[in-house]
């Protein structure tokens, strides 16, 4: 029996129309890209909606039709926000591209997506000029600025964004699209092999926004001032431009200035209550506060994800009166899969259990389903101990990569294979132990690099730590720590090892450390393990490396001499 309910499609245009109608005067504040000091541009949801409609007419004028891919290389700004709504609202596909990738990767992505139009911020004009010869299918290049700021000598015809907006009428009726039509296209970072496209639908984007706004997710309301630091070119800034319109929150867009001092200024000046970004960005903010002092004003919540939030970081923010919400997600999941919010049983579990829970990646958002599988694809128990590959399903998870064979990356029964190794506990909290390709395999057992990083991040001398698997003649691989120290601090191998005693199993304790000036990060802010593995693959282990490995994975003490040690496990 069919229900008798209205069939109104879930569309991205519905979000901006709602924000305009009921929160039209709510402010949108954005750092400008043209101004080196990052002057602030102020508009409102009404203004964003009006200019998005003008832009939608502009796109039509350029010949953009439903389903066409319109690409952006842009920071988090009001213009990028207008583009989000103009492109998707008019039925085209908003294809955000990460400008921090290599030229070849960007050219590959734009070619694979078959983009027809490329919008770019003034700071990416040189990048766009270099790309022109590799993009025969792109018919229009648009710089996101006024005409006066167009560069001379651009190797293709170049349009000015402001002309495209101002030259067109604000009368545009958002088409009543099929909610399953594509609205956005993002590519994975592709640290191994070429990046792959996740093609989002209007329905998936809107449902994801609803789920993210919930109290146990990001918990966003019309009283919030939301600042997405996570870039709009990285999985739609975790959906926040949609969540903010859905809830009518004020939006603060930090443009290209993402250093601790600039973010701190914006947080105080604009009364930011909620922000979101990767741990490295927040490490920058904490460093700024450590040097210059100050508080975080009205900031109440920070969503931290993209890579593991070290417990020490969460605790520091909590001392500053800010709840750090650890979240996990993937490009293929739009991206949010879990948020670490408390549960109703917090009062009755021990403080140790609460602390262990807090360190995890969180509970699935309603709609997200998980299983963990062993190497034969068999489900493992949700006991918080057994770890295996995490597979997921959700209304906002992809069912196929763009332009790829149907089954690539999926289990035979259609679950998305995340490539993350995780545990699930009976209360639903998921914990990532590693990317499958980053686990350290010592004597046939797995050591969690994330756990090793979390422990060392709490050492008073350590600014950032990365654990890498380095070949070892006896154990196959052993963990080596690459460590950035705080200014003036020192840390020796023995001190590091002593710090790990009682914090991790004996055979997990890293055998050595390398002090480095900087830990390499990928274009999406994750530790670049591939680069570290390559750099340290010939690392010369100290003579007694792994001599401490006298306990098996199950905790049994075996032997003491290196040659006599039984393989862990
Ligand atoms: P991306 O598609 O670029 O967002 O990357 C997704 C990957 O980032 C996931 O598969 C995880 O390996 C990693 N990731 C995201 N969030 C977290 C988190 N909170 N803790 C650990 N890893 C994370």
């Amino acid at each position: 029996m069919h229900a008798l309910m209205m069939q109104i499609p879930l569309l991205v245009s519905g979000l901006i129309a709602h924000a305009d109608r009921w929160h039209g005067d709510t402010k949108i504040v954005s750092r400008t890209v043209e101004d080196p000091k990052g002057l602030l541009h102020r508009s409102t949801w009404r203004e964003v909606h009006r200019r998005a409609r003008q832009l939608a007419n502009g796109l039509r004028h350029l010949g953009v039709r439903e389903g066409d891919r319109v690409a952006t290389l842009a920071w988090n700004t009001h213009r990028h926000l207008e583009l989000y709504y103009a492109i998707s609202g008019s039925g085209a596909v908003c294809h955000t591209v990460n400008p921090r990738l290599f030229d070849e990767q960007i050219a590959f992505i734009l070619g694979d997506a078959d983009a027809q139009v490329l919008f770019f911020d003034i700071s990416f004009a040189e990048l766009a000029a270099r790309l022109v010869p590799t993009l025969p299918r792109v018919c229009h290049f648009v710089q996101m600025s006024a005409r006066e700021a167009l560069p001379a000598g651009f190797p293709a015809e170049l349009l000015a964004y402001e002309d495209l907006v101002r030259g067109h009428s604000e009368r545009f009726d958002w088409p009543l699209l099929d909610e399953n039509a594509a609205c956005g296209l993002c590519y994975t970072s592709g640290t191994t092999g070429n990046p792959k496209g996740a093609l989002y639908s209007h329905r998936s984007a809107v449902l994801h926004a609803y789920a993210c706004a919930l109290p146990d997710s990001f918990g966003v309301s019309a009283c919030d001032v939301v600042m997405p630091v996570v870039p709009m070119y990285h999985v739609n800034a975790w959906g926040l431009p949609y969540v903010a319109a859905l809830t009518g929150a004020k939006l603060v867009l930090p443009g290209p200035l993402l250093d601790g001092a600039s973010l701190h200024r914006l947080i105080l000046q604009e009364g930011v209550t909620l922000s979101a970004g990767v741990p490295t960005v927040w490490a920058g903010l904490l460093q700024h506060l450590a040097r210059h002092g100050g508080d975080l004003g009205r900031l109440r919540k920070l969503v931290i994800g993209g890579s593991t939030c070290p417990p020490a970081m969460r605790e520091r923010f909590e001392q500053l009166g800010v709840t750090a919400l650890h979240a996990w997600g993937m490009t293929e999941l739009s991206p949010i899969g879990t948020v670490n919010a408390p549960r109703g049983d917090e009062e009755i579990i021990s403080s140790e259990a609460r602390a262990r829970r807090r360190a995890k990646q969180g509970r699935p958002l309603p709609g997200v389903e998980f299983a963990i599988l062993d190497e034969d694809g068999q489900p493992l128990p949700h006991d918080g101990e057994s770890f295996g590959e995490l597979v997921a399903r959700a209304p906002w998870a992809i069912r196929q990569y763009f332009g790829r064979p149907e089954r690539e990356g999926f289990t035979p029964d259609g679950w998305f294979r995340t490539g993350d190794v995780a545990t699930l506990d009976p209360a639903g909290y998921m914990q990532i132990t590693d990317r499958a390709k980053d686990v350290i395999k010592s004597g046939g057992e797995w050591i969690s690099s994330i756990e090793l990083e979390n422990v060392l991040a709490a050492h008073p001398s350590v600014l950032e730590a990365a654990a890498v698997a380095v070949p070892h003649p006896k154990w196959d691989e052993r963990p080596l720590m690459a460590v950035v120290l705080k200014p003036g601090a020192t840390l020796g191998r023995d001190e590091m090892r002593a710090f790990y005693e009682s914090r991790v199993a004996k055979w997990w304790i890293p055998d050595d450390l390398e002090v480095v000036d900087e830990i390499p990060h990928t274009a999406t802010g994750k530790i670049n393990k591939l680069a570290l593995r390559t750099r340290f693959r010939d690392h010369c282990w100290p003579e007694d490396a792994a001599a401490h490995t006298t306990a098996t994975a199950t905790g049994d003490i075996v032997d003491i001499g290196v040659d006599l040690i039984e393989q862990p496990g």
Side-chain angles (χ1 to χ4, degrees):
M1 187 186 208
H2 267 123
L4 297 172
M5 305 305 285
M6 291 186 190
Q7 299 243 327
I8 296 175
L10 299 172
L11 299 176
V12 161
S13 54
L15 300 176
I16 187 77
H18 170 84
D20 175 357
R21 189 170 306 127
W22 306 112
H23 305 278
D25 296 330
T26 299
K27 300 279 181 293
I28 310 294
V29 180
S30 166
R31 273 205 198 284
T32 49
V33 182
E34 296 97 309
D35 183 81
K37 291 206 191 93
L39 278 183
L40 296 181
H41 173 275
R42 293 183 184 277
S43 67
T44 59
W45 280 117
R46 180 161 304 123
E47 176 79 354
V48 168
H49 190 202
R50 185 178 61 74
R51 282 172 48 99
R53 294 195 310 272
Q54 287 178 281
L55 193 54
N57 277 319
L59 291 171
R60 283 276 155 86
H61 179 75
L62 293 182
V64 173
R65 295 284 167 262
E66 285 181 17
D68 286 354
R69 267 75 73 200
V70 177
T72 62
L73 283 166
W75 299 106
N76 293 10
T77 66
H78 63 291
R79 291 195 181 110
H80 207 179
L81 185 70
E82 291 158 7
L83 276 166
Y84 261 45
Y85 286 104
I87 299 170
S88 305
S90 63
V93 179
C94 182
H95 172 37
T96 52
V97 184
N98 186 339
R100 297 181 61 218
L101 295 169
F102 297 120
D103 287 13
E104 300 74 43
Q105 282 175 309
I106 298 177
F108 168 83
I109 289 172
L110 290 166
D112 193 64
D114 195 16
Q116 286 97 353
V117 184
L118 178 62
F119 284 82
F120 57 86
D121 264 329
I122 198 164
S123 43
F124 304 122
E126 281 177 23
L127 167 63
R130 288 198 305 275
L131 289 170
V132 168
T134 67
L135 302 174
R137 297 273 300 159
V138 173
C139 318
H140 301 287
F141 292 87
V142 188
Q143 180 171 283
M144 293 159 70
S145 70
R147 180 190 291 248
E148 304 78 70
L150 291 186
F154 193 81
E157 193 194 338
L158 185 57
L159 305 171
Y161 182 95
E162 290 302 328
D163 290 347
L164 211 53
V165 172
R166 292 194 186 128
H168 291 94
S169 151
E170 60 189 69
R171 287 216 46 188
F172 187 90
D173 295 326
W174 298 117
L176 205 61
L177 305 163
D178 176 349
E179 65 177 12
N180 290 305
C183 75
L185 179 60
C186 293
Y187 276 67
T188 59
S189 30
T191 38
T192 51
N194 273 329
K196 290 184 277 190
L199 186 62
Y200 310 121
S201 66
H202 285 262
R203 176 186 156 81
S204 68
V206 173
L207 286 177
H208 177 262
Y210 272 95
C212 286
L214 288 171
D216 275 358
S217 304
F218 302 165
V220 186
S221 83
C223 301
D224 272 308
V225 180
V226 177
M227 179 172 78
V229 176
V230 50
M232 290 169 73
Y233 58 71
H234 185 203
V235 218
N236 299 328
W238 300 349
L240 284 169
Y242 300 135
V243 174
L246 174 80
T247 54
K250 171 177 166 182
L251 202 50
V252 178
L253 299 165
L257 301 185
L258 306 180
D259 58 285
S262 305
L263 293 178
H264 188 218
R265 244 194 335 272
L266 262 190
I267 289 170
L268 296 184
Q269 203 173 307
E270 297 304 320
V272 171
T273 60
L274 184 150
S275 188
V278 295
T280 31
V281 161
W282 304 127
L285 178 62
L286 286 177
Q287 255 176 290
H288 171 79
L289 291 176
R291 271 199 212 116
H292 303 280
D295 62 25
L296 287 169
R298 294 181 61 214
L299 189 68
R300 291 291 159 265
K301 251 188 245 173
L302 272 186
V303 184
I304 306 183
S307 51
T308 307
C309 167
M313 175 177 282
R314 184 171 40 76
E315 282 154 22
R316 183 70 198 109
F317 275 115
E318 263 150 35
Q319 287 159 4
L320 291 164
V322 176
T323 302
L325 283 176
H326 195 186
W328 168 91
M330 300 185 74
T331 304
E332 294 88 336
L333 259 90
S334 299
I336 303 299
T338 66
V339 175
N340 194 326
R343 251 173 124 247
D345 60 358
E346 295 279 302
E347 298 299 316
I348 55 169
I349 62 173
S350 67
S351 55
E352 293 78 26
R354 259 202 310 276
R356 274 199 304 279
R357 200 181 254 187
R358 277 289 81 78
K360 300 188 178 192
Q361 271 68 14
R363 300 191 269 124
L365 265 54
V368 175
E369 290 175 83
F370 284 147
I372 40 170
L373 305 180
D374 67 14
E375 275 160 325
D376 301 322
Q378 295 306 308
L380 288 163
H382 298 180
D383 56 10
E385 306 266 325
S386 315
F387 54 88
E389 188 184 3
L390 182 72
V391 296
R393 293 201 304 196
W396 50 87
I398 60 161
R399 63 179 166 80
Q400 185 179 351
Y401 284 105
F402 181 66
R404 297 289 182 120
E406 208 172 323
R407 287 273 158 247
E408 185 181 315
F410 293 82
T411 64
D413 53 351
W415 290 64
F416 172 67
R417 299 184 58 174
T418 65
D420 282 337
V421 177
T423 62
L424 273 173
D425 71 19
Y429 287 83
M430 185 274 283
Q431 183 161 33
I432 302 275
T433 59
D434 260 305
R435 265 320 269 168
K437 58 182 187 307
D438 293 339
V439 284
I440 302 162
K441 297 179 202 86
S442 170
E445 288 288 333
W446 288 3
I447 296 175
S448 161
S449 66
I450 291 179
E451 181 69 30
L452 295 181
E453 287 157 9
N454 280 348
V455 169
L456 206 55
H459 190 287
S461 302
V462 172
L463 205 56
E464 195 178 9
V468 262
V470 173
H472 186 278
K474 184 171 177 65
W475 301 105
D476 189 16
E477 289 173 352
R478 288 293 301 160
L480 170 76
M481 300 306 294
V483 182
V484 182
L485 295 175
K486 290 189 181 153
T490 55
L491 179 66
R493 174 175 172 251
D494 291 341
E495 192 193 338
M496 172 192 78
R497 296 254 307 266
F499 191 73
Y500 274 107
E501 294 276 344
S502 83
R503 289 182 166 93
V504 296
K506 237 178 152 81
W507 62 278
W508 279 34
I509 296 179
D511 301 286
D512 207 358
L513 88 166
E514 288 272 1
V515 174
V516 294
D517 291 339
E518 196 185 348
I519 285 179
H521 288 91
T522 66
T524 52
K526 299 181 209 313
I527 293 174
N528 190 339
K529 293 281 172 86
L530 194 62
L532 284 173
R533 275 201 300 271
T534 311
R535 173 163 170 197
F536 294 118
R537 94 185 131 208
D538 300 321
H539 179 76
C540 192
W541 289 111
E543 286 220 333
D544 59 344
H548 61 285
T549 313
T550 52
T552 65
T554 48
D556 306 327
I557 301 297
V558 285
D559 211 324
I560 42 165
V562 178
D563 291 330
L564 300 175
I565 296 168
E566 203 177 295
Q567 292 280 350

